[in-house]
Amino acid sequence: MDLQDTPEEWPVTATETPFQGKKTSVRTDDVVMRDGTVARRDYQVHPGSVAVLALDEQDRVLLIKQYRHPVRQKLWEIPAGLLDVPGENPLHAAQRELYEEAHVKAADWRVLTDVYTSPGGTDEALRIFLARDLAEAEGERYEVSDEEADMELARVPLAELVRGALAGDLHNTCLVVGVLSLAAVRAGDGVDSLRPPTAPWPARPFEA
């Protein structure tokens, strides 16, 4: 068995965009099924995202806590953000988010994992990086607004986050996938087996 996701595209007989937002939109496609019937599928069109699991020398993960209106909760998360520019190098975007949200830089970067956040309802592709050898960034802190102005910062041991994710106390996709992926790679082939930070990403091609 070839345990690998593979590209495939079923015919679309009609498409429309009933909603166009600032960064994302909603698309409706009429998709031809294998038996020849046509099914209508609505989904969010998304530019893609990056997230950073930043690990310090004490094996603590850098976290932010931020209000998320759709779920009416303040969630513990890792720094993350949109790929604002088409074709943007995801490493550069991740470095920017770590600086803007935590005023931190990192000397060592690896690709931790790539996921589709909810492929039944959005085409959002997410790349999570592992960042190590942390230090405070130079210069002025990035000026934040809206929900980000109320963010809390913390550093929490990785083992505690794994327990929290499995106990159902932590819910953010980037955080849960990130900490469990790091725990898994440590229990398996080790961090040195992770892909380099500029590894190809077919879901969101970019220029190195």
Side-chain angles (χ1 to χ4, degrees):
M1 180 176 63
D2 182 16
L3 194 60
Q4 181 176 349
D5 297 334
T6 54
E8 185 164 322
E9 188 167 352
W10 293 5
V12 174
T13 60
T15 186
E16 59 185 66
T17 304
F19 170 78
Q20 178 69 57
K22 183 178 180 181
K23 296 291 185 181
T24 67
S25 61
V26 173
R27 180 177 298 165
T28 299
D29 287 343
D30 290 342
V31 186
V32 181
M33 302 288 105
R34 286 301 194 198
D35 63 1
T37 62
V38 176
R40 176 156 288 197
R41 295 289 179 261
D42 303 316
Y43 60 100
Q44 180 193 37
V45 178
H46 195 284
S49 304
V50 292
V52 184
L53 195 151
L55 192 70
D56 70 13
E57 69 283 354
Q58 298 179 49
D59 213 39
R60 300 176 304 177
V61 177
L62 191 156
L63 300 183
I64 61 176
K65 195 174 190 181
Q66 184 173 349
Y67 176 66
R68 294 300 188 181
H69 185 71
V71 296
R72 304 326 195 251
Q73 291 191 35
K74 288 190 75 173
L75 301 180
W76 283 111
E77 306 178 352
I78 57 177
L82 299 177
L83 290 170
D84 293 314
V85 180
E88 181 179 18
N89 188 313
L91 174 60
H92 298 165
Q95 292 170 331
R96 180 185 67 238
E97 293 301 329
L98 186 60
Y99 163 74
E100 291 181 355
E101 296 191 349
H103 200 66
V104 166
K105 63 181 181 179
D108 184 82
W109 291 81
R110 310 288 178 98
V111 173
L112 190 52
T113 191
D114 298 328
V115 297
Y116 290 115
T117 57
S118 183
T122 177
D123 68 352
E124 180 183 4
L126 165 68
R127 169 161 281 189
I128 303 178
F129 290 89
L130 172 64
R132 298 181 297 173
D133 295 339
L134 307 184
E136 184 173 358
E138 296 91 357
E140 297 292 325
R141 286 187 172 272
Y142 182 78
E143 186 174 347
V144 296
S145 60
D146 301 326
E147 292 93 343
E148 292 183 349
D150 191 49
M151 286 194 310
E152 305 172 41
L153 291 174
R155 296 193 182 199
V156 179
L158 177 67
E160 186 175 333
L161 295 176
V162 171
R163 288 192 294 269
L166 297 177
D169 297 328
L170 302 170
H171 305 90
N172 176 263
T173 300
C174 301
L175 173 60
V176 172
V177 173
V179 300
L180 295 183
S181 295
L182 181 55
V185 77
R186 282 182 165 182
D189 295 332
V191 170
D192 288 341
S193 68
L194 292 172
R195 288 169 291 161
T198 56
W201 189 16
R204 292 294 184 274
F206 62 92
E207 295 183 7

